[in-house]
Each structure stands twice: as C-alpha cells, then as structure tokens.
Amino acid sequence: MTGPLPRDATLFVAGHRGLVGSAIVRHFAAQGFTNLLTRTRAELDLLDPHAVDAFFASERPQVVILAAAKVGGILANATYPADFLYQNLMIAANVIHAAHAHDVRKLLNLGSSCIYPKHAPQPMPESALLTGPLESTNRAYAIAKIAAIELCDAYRAQHGRSFISAMPTNLYGPGDNFDLETSHVLPALLRKAVEARDAGAPSITVWGSGTPRREFLYVDDLADACLFLLEHFDEPGPINVGTGVDVSIRELAEMVCDVIGYEGELAFDAGKPDGTPRKLMDVTRLTRAGWSATTDLRTGLARTAAWYREAPERGDVPSPSV
Ligand code: GDP
C-alpha cells in the first residue's frame, strides 16, 4: 500500500517518548496528522502480549510506527545483552503480531545500522544483511532487530501485510540520552564539551582511538523519511536511512568542541572499546525512491546543543528507556 496517508488516520507511535518517537510525533503533528495515538510505558507495557493485543483491539490503529526499543551505546549494549535481546524481541513480536491480528493497514518497523555484519562492505547496502558475523558489542540488539525485519517480511509473505522496515544510521537530536555511561558518542561528547567549557577543564575524554568512522542523521530528518516511506514505499527487506556521509570520532569531537566553543584538548582513552571500525549506510535505494537528508552535521549539532542548554532534565536521563 502506497499513496498519501489521510491526515485523520489513527496512527500509533510506539515509543513516543524516545529520541525517534518524539521527533516523529513533532513532525507528523506539524504535517497535519490529527489522530496520533501514544501510550507511556506505565499505560501500556509493550513487553506484555495481552496488554498490547487489548490495546489494538480497543484503539484500532490504522497505521503503526514501531519506534519503541531498548537502546543504548556501546557500553550499555555490552553490559546488558539479555535485556537488549529479550526486550527488543518481545516488543517487536507483540506489536507486529497485534498489527496483523487487528488489520493495521501499514506498519513501519524501525531498526538500526548495527544489523549489518561487522565487516560489511562500506558503504553498507541492504543486501549485506546476514552475510557475515555481527559486531560483538551489540550483537544481542542487532539480532532482535533482524528478527523484527524477518517478522515484517513473514507477515507480508504469509498474510499480504504492508509491513516495512527502515534502518536508520546513528541518530542524534533533541531528546537524546545524555547520560555518560549509557549514551551514544555524540550526546556524550556534547555534554563533556559543555561541562569542560563551563568548568574551564583542560581536556575532555574521548573513548577509544578516535579512528572509527560513524555516520550521523539528525532525528527530524528521520521523522521526515518515515512519512515519506509510509507514503511511497512498500517492499520487503530493510531500507537504509542515512546521509551517505561519515566522519571519524576525532573529527566529530573536534566539530563538537568548535560548535560548543570549547578550546581544550582531546584525551583518547584506549581502555574503552572502538567498536566496529566503520559504519556508513549505502542510501542508494532511498535516494532512488526520492528522499534524501537535508540537515548537515554542524547545523544538527548546533540545534541539539541549543536543546540541551534549555532541557529541564539536562543530563539527568538515568538509563536508556523503552
Ligand atoms: P556504536 O556506534 O554502536 O559503536 O556506539 P557509540 O556511539 O557508543 O560509540 C561510537 C564510537 O565512539 C566508539 O568507537 C566509541 O568508543 C567512541 N566514543 C568516544 N567517546 C565516547 C563517549 O564518550 N561515549 C560513547 N558512547 N562513545 C564514545
């Protein structure tokens, strides 16, 4: 199913409090959607199949965006693999099955670039899926996300469902997790640079060697891509969502310091893992479909820094949340 989504369609955003879900709610509301359906974790436990089924039965969403996940950076993934595997499998199974059982017209399942093998060709095309071993530091999370793609494709093959899967690259933006233990690199460096600048500290610590390369997509661009895909894309398998451009962690750290106005040194901590050496999406499929990102890294960093400055809960996010 493709074509314009009626602006009054009942659209359930699972995970609306997260980085991705909150951007989707902002963007879809701005695009005129009037029936966005959301539930907090206290209101609806996505790990509970009966609760999820009852919710779909009573609210009858027509469109679903699955943006709920247990997420975290390299350290959190390596420390809590059981939580990452179990919770993400359960969320995907419960929501995707309920979407089928209750006749949802279109479902967009969101994954991550870490589904691709550690040594996938760079940039990584969608065809690299399941062609080699995964990066060990986030294997549990990746396997849950691969299972979710397979679920969407299985319901499509067996039941003719319009369930699609988009794989965003590393995301950042307003609403990110700034907790230094569990966050991803970009918010961590942003916070460190702000705190070092304010304290007049001589250096900030950057984990690893600084040589790994990563691609970063501003989360509002992802929200825009989600609407585009719901309206224009209906095929099995993952579709990558990224910018097609990457930077080294050192380059990222330098740009963050520049944007924040911090002039100290970078101290690389070799005791922390580098993770996968490079992670860049091949976005040919999406570009051909007609969408590309518009927010460059420096602009996105400045917007995220402005949000972080104002955020009431600045830095207090205790752990990554579902
Ligand atoms: P990944 O993309 O799944 O590897 O997750 P991260 O965003 O956590 O890490 C990306 C890279 O940034 C890794 O090489 C990290 O070692 C490096 N890095 C440098 N400084 C930091 C930091 O303060 N926090 C995090 N999470 N990563 C950092």
Side-chain angles (χ1 to χ4, degrees):
M1 196 197 85
T2 55
L5 285 183
R7 274 16 191 189
D8 61 354
T10 309
L11 195 155
F12 174 41
V13 182
H16 74 287
R17 285 197 160 165
L19 171 65
V20 173
S22 59
I24 286 171
V25 168
R26 268 200 312 276
H27 186 71
F28 279 61
Q31 294 296 314
F33 284 85
T34 50
N35 278 319
L36 296 176
L37 194 54
T38 58
R39 287 292 183 276
T40 62
R41 199 193 319 194
E43 291 163 344
L44 173 62
D45 180 4
L46 295 174
L47 300 177
D48 177 351
H50 304 294
V52 173
D53 187 73
F55 167 76
F56 274 72
S58 68
E59 301 300 329
R60 314 237 36 117
Q62 295 163 301
V63 180
V64 172
I65 302 179
L66 180 43
K70 177 161 183 72
V71 298
I74 194 164
L75 201 58
N77 269 274
T79 315
Y80 308 108
D83 295 357
F84 279 83
L85 183 54
Y86 171 73
Q87 294 189 26
N88 287 310
L89 281 173
M90 289 300 283
I91 292 168
N94 291 340
V95 173
I96 293 168
H97 179 73
H100 163 63
H102 298 282
D103 226 8
V104 164
R105 275 195 263 153
K106 191 135 195 186
L107 176 142
L108 171 62
N109 164 45
L110 288 163
S112 151
S113 58
C114 71
I115 59 160
Y116 294 116
K118 176 168 184 162
H119 299 294
Q122 300 287 335
M124 302 180 288
E126 289 85 354
S127 58
L129 186 65
L130 294 173
T131 56
L134 298 163
E135 156 63 33
S136 61
T137 48
N138 53 27
R139 191 174 62 223
Y141 176 79
I143 284 180
K145 290 292 170 184
I146 293 169
I149 299 171
E150 195 65 25
L151 266 177
C152 287
D153 291 354
Y155 282 99
R156 170 184 293 276
Q158 191 178 331
H159 299 289
R161 291 297 175 195
S162 266
F163 294 175
I164 59 174
S165 295
M167 299 301 119
T169 189
N170 294 2
L171 299 165
Y172 70 99
D176 212 339
N177 169 19
F178 284 82
D179 177 86
L180 292 180
E181 286 298 309
T182 57
S183 72
H184 284 278
V185 58
L186 190 149
L189 292 179
L190 212 149
R191 178 175 178 172
K192 287 180 193 176
V194 167
E195 289 179 354
R197 180 199 62 196
D198 294 351
S203 68
I204 60 168
T205 304
V206 181
W207 295 357
S209 64
T211 58
R213 300 185 69 82
R214 294 289 184 275
E215 175 188 18
F216 298 97
L217 179 69
Y218 190 58
V219 72
D220 289 32
D221 282 8
L222 172 68
D224 189 52
C226 288
L227 180 53
F228 176 85
L229 289 169
L230 283 169
E231 297 194 319
H232 299 278
F233 183 79
D234 194 14
E235 291 172 29
I239 182 163
N240 293 341
V241 185
T243 61
V245 178
D246 64 357
V247 292
S248 72
I249 297 302
R250 176 190 286 276
E251 287 164 343
L252 172 71
E254 287 166 352
M255 197 186 287
V256 166
C257 292
D258 201 36
V259 166
I260 298 301
Y262 173 63
E263 292 178 346
E265 302 292 317
L266 302 177
F268 290 93
D269 177 0
K272 291 285 195 307
D274 267 347
T276 201
R278 192 176 186 207
K279 228 179 353 175
L280 176 64
M281 294 289 211
D282 181 339
V283 289
T284 310
R285 195 177 187 199
L286 183 61
T287 313
R288 286 215 181 110
W291 188 90
S292 44
T294 51
T295 310
D296 65 76
L297 183 55
R298 183 172 285 271
T299 305
L301 273 174
R303 286 188 194 153
T304 308
W307 177 86
Y308 180 63
R309 201 166 41 238
E310 303 302 327
E313 73 276 22
R314 164 177 161 154
D316 291 343
V317 185
S319 67
S321 60
V322 171

